[in-house]
Short mmCIF file of all heavy atoms in Angstrom, two decimals:
data_model
loop_
_atom_site.label_atom_id
_atom_site.label_comp_id
_atom_site.label_asym_id
_atom_site.label_seq_id
_atom_site.Cartn_x
_atom_site.Cartn_y
_atom_site.Cartn_z
N ILE G 33 -41.28 86.46 150.72
CA ILE G 33 -41.67 85.12 150.25
C ILE G 33 -41.98 84.29 151.47
O ILE G 33 -41.21 84.19 152.41
CB ILE G 33 -40.50 84.45 149.47
CG1 ILE G 33 -39.99 85.36 148.37
CG2 ILE G 33 -40.91 83.10 148.92
CD1 ILE G 33 -41.03 85.78 147.36
N PRO G 34 -43.18 83.69 151.48
CA PRO G 34 -43.56 82.85 152.63
C PRO G 34 -42.51 81.76 152.90
O PRO G 34 -41.92 81.21 151.97
CB PRO G 34 -44.91 82.22 152.21
CG PRO G 34 -45.46 83.20 151.23
CD PRO G 34 -44.28 83.75 150.49
N ASP G 35 -42.33 81.46 154.20
CA ASP G 35 -41.29 80.51 154.59
C ASP G 35 -41.47 79.15 153.96
O ASP G 35 -40.49 78.49 153.58
CB ASP G 35 -41.26 80.36 156.12
CG ASP G 35 -40.78 81.63 156.81
OD1 ASP G 35 -40.10 82.45 156.18
OD2 ASP G 35 -41.09 81.80 158.03
N ASP G 36 -42.74 78.68 153.83
CA ASP G 36 -42.93 77.34 153.25
C ASP G 36 -42.49 77.30 151.78
O ASP G 36 -41.94 76.31 151.32
CB ASP G 36 -44.38 76.87 153.41
CG ASP G 36 -45.38 77.79 152.75
OD1 ASP G 36 -45.15 79.04 152.69
OD2 ASP G 36 -46.44 77.29 152.33
N ILE G 37 -42.72 78.36 151.05
CA ILE G 37 -42.30 78.41 149.64
C ILE G 37 -40.77 78.43 149.53
O ILE G 37 -40.18 77.70 148.74
CB ILE G 37 -42.94 79.61 148.91
CG1 ILE G 37 -44.46 79.40 148.80
CG2 ILE G 37 -42.29 79.79 147.52
CD1 ILE G 37 -45.21 80.55 148.22
N MET G 38 -40.13 79.24 150.39
CA MET G 38 -38.68 79.29 150.37
C MET G 38 -38.08 77.94 150.78
O MET G 38 -37.09 77.48 150.15
CB MET G 38 -38.15 80.38 151.29
CG MET G 38 -38.23 81.79 150.69
SD MET G 38 -37.54 81.94 149.04
CE MET G 38 -35.88 81.39 149.23
N ALA G 39 -38.67 77.27 151.74
CA ALA G 39 -38.17 75.95 152.14
C ALA G 39 -38.31 74.96 151.00
O ALA G 39 -37.39 74.18 150.72
CB ALA G 39 -38.91 75.46 153.37
N ASP G 40 -39.44 75.01 150.30
CA ASP G 40 -39.64 74.13 149.16
C ASP G 40 -38.59 74.38 148.08
O ASP G 40 -37.98 73.45 147.53
CB ASP G 40 -41.01 74.30 148.53
CG ASP G 40 -42.15 73.74 149.39
OD1 ASP G 40 -41.85 72.95 150.32
OD2 ASP G 40 -43.32 74.11 149.12
N LEU G 41 -38.38 75.65 147.76
CA LEU G 41 -37.41 76.01 146.73
C LEU G 41 -35.99 75.65 147.11
O LEU G 41 -35.22 75.18 146.26
CB LEU G 41 -37.53 77.50 146.38
CG LEU G 41 -38.72 77.86 145.55
CD1 LEU G 41 -38.87 79.42 145.47
CD2 LEU G 41 -38.65 77.27 144.18
N GLU G 42 -35.63 75.90 148.36
CA GLU G 42 -34.27 75.54 148.80
C GLU G 42 -34.06 74.04 148.67
O GLU G 42 -32.96 73.59 148.28
CB GLU G 42 -34.05 75.99 150.24
CG GLU G 42 -33.95 77.47 150.42
CD GLU G 42 -32.72 78.09 149.77
OE1 GLU G 42 -31.69 77.39 149.63
OE2 GLU G 42 -32.82 79.28 149.40
N ARG G 43 -35.08 73.26 148.96
CA ARG G 43 -34.98 71.80 148.92
C ARG G 43 -34.85 71.30 147.49
O ARG G 43 -34.07 70.40 147.21
CB ARG G 43 -36.19 71.19 149.59
CG ARG G 43 -36.19 69.67 149.67
CD ARG G 43 -37.40 69.13 150.40
NE ARG G 43 -38.67 69.78 150.11
CZ ARG G 43 -39.41 69.56 149.01
NH1 ARG G 43 -39.01 68.69 148.12
NH2 ARG G 43 -40.54 70.20 148.84
N ILE G 44 -35.61 71.88 146.53
CA ILE G 44 -35.62 71.33 145.18
C ILE G 44 -34.69 72.04 144.22
O ILE G 44 -34.52 71.57 143.11
CB ILE G 44 -37.06 71.33 144.59
CG1 ILE G 44 -37.57 72.75 144.45
CG2 ILE G 44 -37.95 70.49 145.43
CD1 ILE G 44 -38.88 72.82 143.69
N GLN G 45 -34.10 73.15 144.58
CA GLN G 45 -33.37 73.94 143.60
C GLN G 45 -32.00 73.33 143.21
O GLN G 45 -31.42 73.78 142.25
CB GLN G 45 -33.18 75.40 144.09
CG GLN G 45 -32.35 75.51 145.33
CD GLN G 45 -31.02 76.17 145.07
OE1 GLN G 45 -30.66 76.53 143.98
NE2 GLN G 45 -30.28 76.33 146.14
N VAL G 46 -31.52 72.36 143.93
CA VAL G 46 -30.26 71.74 143.55
C VAL G 46 -30.43 70.24 143.45
O VAL G 46 -31.28 69.65 144.10
CB VAL G 46 -29.13 72.06 144.56
CG1 VAL G 46 -28.76 73.52 144.48
CG2 VAL G 46 -29.49 71.68 145.96
N ARG G 47 -29.60 69.62 142.62
CA ARG G 47 -29.61 68.16 142.50
C ARG G 47 -28.18 67.76 142.30
O ARG G 47 -27.33 68.50 141.84
CB ARG G 47 -30.49 67.72 141.33
CG ARG G 47 -29.95 68.15 139.97
CD ARG G 47 -30.88 67.66 138.87
NE ARG G 47 -30.72 68.45 137.69
CZ ARG G 47 -29.93 68.12 136.66
NH1 ARG G 47 -29.20 67.00 136.72
NH2 ARG G 47 -29.82 68.87 135.61
N PRO G 48 -27.87 66.47 142.63
CA PRO G 48 -26.49 66.01 142.43
C PRO G 48 -26.16 65.98 140.93
O PRO G 48 -27.01 65.73 140.10
CB PRO G 48 -26.50 64.58 142.99
CG PRO G 48 -27.75 64.48 143.80
CD PRO G 48 -28.71 65.50 143.26
N LEU G 49 -24.89 66.28 140.63
CA LEU G 49 -24.43 66.18 139.25
C LEU G 49 -24.51 64.71 138.85
O LEU G 49 -24.18 63.81 139.65
CB LEU G 49 -22.99 66.64 139.13
CG LEU G 49 -22.73 68.14 139.16
CD1 LEU G 49 -21.23 68.40 139.22
CD2 LEU G 49 -23.32 68.79 137.94
N SER G 50 -24.95 64.46 137.61
CA SER G 50 -24.88 63.08 137.14
C SER G 50 -23.47 62.84 136.63
O SER G 50 -23.03 63.47 135.68
CB SER G 50 -25.92 62.82 136.05
OG SER G 50 -26.12 63.95 135.28
N LEU G 51 -22.81 61.94 137.30
CA LEU G 51 -21.40 61.67 136.96
C LEU G 51 -21.33 60.36 136.15
O LEU G 51 -21.96 59.37 136.52
CB LEU G 51 -20.57 61.55 138.25
CG LEU G 51 -20.52 62.80 139.12
CD1 LEU G 51 -19.78 62.48 140.39
CD2 LEU G 51 -19.84 63.91 138.37
N SER G 52 -20.56 60.39 135.11
CA SER G 52 -20.35 59.17 134.34
C SER G 52 -19.45 58.24 135.17
O SER G 52 -18.72 58.68 136.06
CB SER G 52 -19.68 59.50 133.00
OG SER G 52 -18.38 60.01 133.23
#
Side-chain angles (χ1 to χ4, degrees):
I33 307 303
D35 292 339
D36 59 329
I37 293 174
M38 281 311 303
D40 289 345
L41 285 170
E42 291 293 332
R43 183 178 40 79
I44 65 172
Q45 65 111 357
V46 292
R47 65 180 159 94
L49 284 172
S50 33
L51 299 174
S52 66

